[in-house]
Amino acid sequence: MPPRFVAAGVSEKNQEGKRTARERLAQERERQRSQDRRRRTMIVGAAVVCVLGLAAVIGVIAANTKSDGKKTPAGPLLAPAGAEGKDKLAIPVGAADAPSTLTVWEDFRCPACAAFENSFRSTVHELEGSGQIRVQYHLATLIDRNLGGSGSLRAANAAGCAQDAGKFSAYHDVLYTNQPQETDDAFAKNSKLIELAQKVPGLDTAGFRSCVEEGKHNSWVAKSNDAFQNGGFSGTPTVQLNGESVFPQKGSEQISPANLKKWVTEANKGKQPGSATPSVATGAASPPAGASAASGAPGPKPAHGPSHVPGAAPKKAPAAVPVHPGVPAAHAGAGTGPAAPVEP
């Protein structure tokens, strides 16, 4: 064969080889891309499975949290027996036909609320027992929100359970006379609330325990707290006589047991007192003046403390004033009788 034909044949073979190599390289690259796509799909799928598995584990843990721990089920909104007012958010104590109404917004973890209760308890019970006022208690959970925990909620639920049993007034007083330190969320333990119920004769029953442990009135408490937050109130306690604020003062007069009695007398002038004694759901009588609702013993000595403002920390009182931190000097010791804790 002539040489020129040999060279031409070799060139054609070389070109064919190059073409085949390029095709093989393209095919290899395509296979590599396919493997990469499958690998990414597998990684994403595994990640999704892990996330779903973690969510399932968290759900199981939450579902198995014990009622004496941090479980706060919402449940249906069930108002305590005898609750009244808008949305049945008020627990009444005192004669239904009393000429005046004292409205009190409180938080069972609030030190200032305990100070108010311990200072004015005998006066309020005296006015209730004589048919001069009907008290409407509204419960809030400010401390839970400000400091964390669930003691405000659980104590309020337990108080609602006590109302179901016709023993709200006595149990309310027991909670305040046994209030833990503000930062100690002891009321978050249902066992503690049930233990305190033993101080109220006839309250520690299977029905009360079940009500407390199941959080029967938790949703009602939450709605009551929403009403407080939306009501434009500055803090707890908030105390009103016939809709007019009397805490820490009424007009220019500082609140005191003597002044509270005077204001009620002025409001009731020319009016007949209500039918005294029915004060709770079962019609139990209010305790006599100067006595503890739970035991009949003399009430505790006056105490002082700061009011709770949503989202605000307590302020320190002047050193010379023997009151709980948070009472401004302008309000300390003013008026007749023990001074009341006031809004910082």
Side-chain angles (χ1 to χ4, degrees):
M1 178 181 293
R4 58 190 180 85
F5 293 110
V6 173
V10 171
S11 176
E12 289 175 357
K13 289 181 179 178
N14 288 341
Q15 291 177 357
E16 179 66 24
K18 291 179 181 179
R19 207 166 31 245
T20 302
R22 284 196 298 270
E23 290 174 352
R24 284 199 303 268
L25 181 60
Q27 292 173 353
E28 181 64 26
R29 287 175 177 173
E30 180 60 29
R31 281 196 298 271
Q32 186 64 41
R33 283 195 291 268
S34 297
Q35 290 176 355
D36 289 343
R37 285 195 295 270
R38 285 196 297 271
R39 187 180 297 110
R40 285 195 297 270
T41 301
M42 292 175 64
I43 292 173
V44 172
V48 171
V49 170
C50 289
V51 170
L52 292 176
L54 179 59
V57 170
I58 293 173
V60 170
I61 293 173
N64 285 280
T65 302
K66 299 299 182 181
S67 62
D68 208 31
K70 301 301 178 185
K71 182 182 177 185
T72 53
L77 197 155
L78 299 174
E84 62 184 25
K86 183 180 179 181
D87 296 326
K88 295 188 179 299
L89 297 180
I91 294 182
V93 179
D97 56 348
S100 286
T101 299
L102 190 71
T103 304
V104 182
W105 291 84
E106 296 181 318
D107 181 328
F108 283 112
R109 287 182 69 188
C110 163
C113 299
F116 168 77
E117 287 293 338
N118 295 337
S119 295
F120 290 84
R121 178 176 297 114
S122 61
T123 302
V124 170
H125 284 325
E126 179 184 342
L127 293 170
E128 289 169 354
S130 60
Q132 297 181 64
I133 63 170
R134 181 176 180 84
V135 184
Q136 290 187 332
Y137 290 98
H138 296 258
L139 306 180
T141 59
L142 294 184
I143 309 301
D144 285 357
R145 190 192 70 175
N146 293 346
L147 298 183
S150 59
S152 300
L153 169 65
R154 293 180 185 276
N157 171 67
C161 297
Q163 171 68 9
D164 289 341
K167 298 181 183 294
F168 170 83
S169 182
Y171 188 63
H172 164 275
D173 291 351
V174 164
L175 289 177
Y176 277 120
T177 55
N178 292 273
Q179 185 188 71
Q181 292 294 316
E182 182 180 12
T183 54
D184 179 4
D185 197 22
F187 284 170
K189 297 181 179 179
N190 290 332
S191 56
K192 179 64 175 179
L193 298 169
I194 291 172
E195 174 189 330
L196 291 175
Q198 297 171 7
K199 296 179 179 291
V200 180
L203 179 57
D204 184 15
T205 64
F208 174 81
R209 288 178 175 235
S210 175
C211 180
V212 170
E213 291 169 349
E214 294 175 5
K216 178 180 177 180
H217 300 301
N218 281 357
S219 294
W220 173 81
V221 175
K223 189 173 182 64
S224 177
N225 185 66
D226 288 343
F228 175 81
Q229 297 289 349
N230 296 328
F233 304 113
S234 57
T236 55
T238 289
V239 185
Q240 299 173 323
L241 178 62
N242 297 326
E244 180 182 2
S245 177
V246 295
F247 186 92
Q249 62 189 52
K250 178 178 180 290
S252 60
E253 293 183 286
Q254 178 78 24
I255 191 172
S256 68
N259 279 343
L260 181 57
K261 289 181 179 180
K262 183 184 75 171
W263 299 335
V264 170
T265 299
E266 291 172 348
N268 292 351
K269 186 176 181 180
K271 302 175 183 178
Q272 292 295 318
S275 53
T277 69
S279 59
V280 288
T282 58
S286 297
S292 166
S295 63
K301 294 180 180 180
H304 308 283
S307 287
H308 266 280
V309 177
K315 299 178 182 178
K316 189 174 182 181
V321 182
V323 294
H324 189 286
V327 181
H331 291 143
T336 304
V342 295
E343 299 288 346

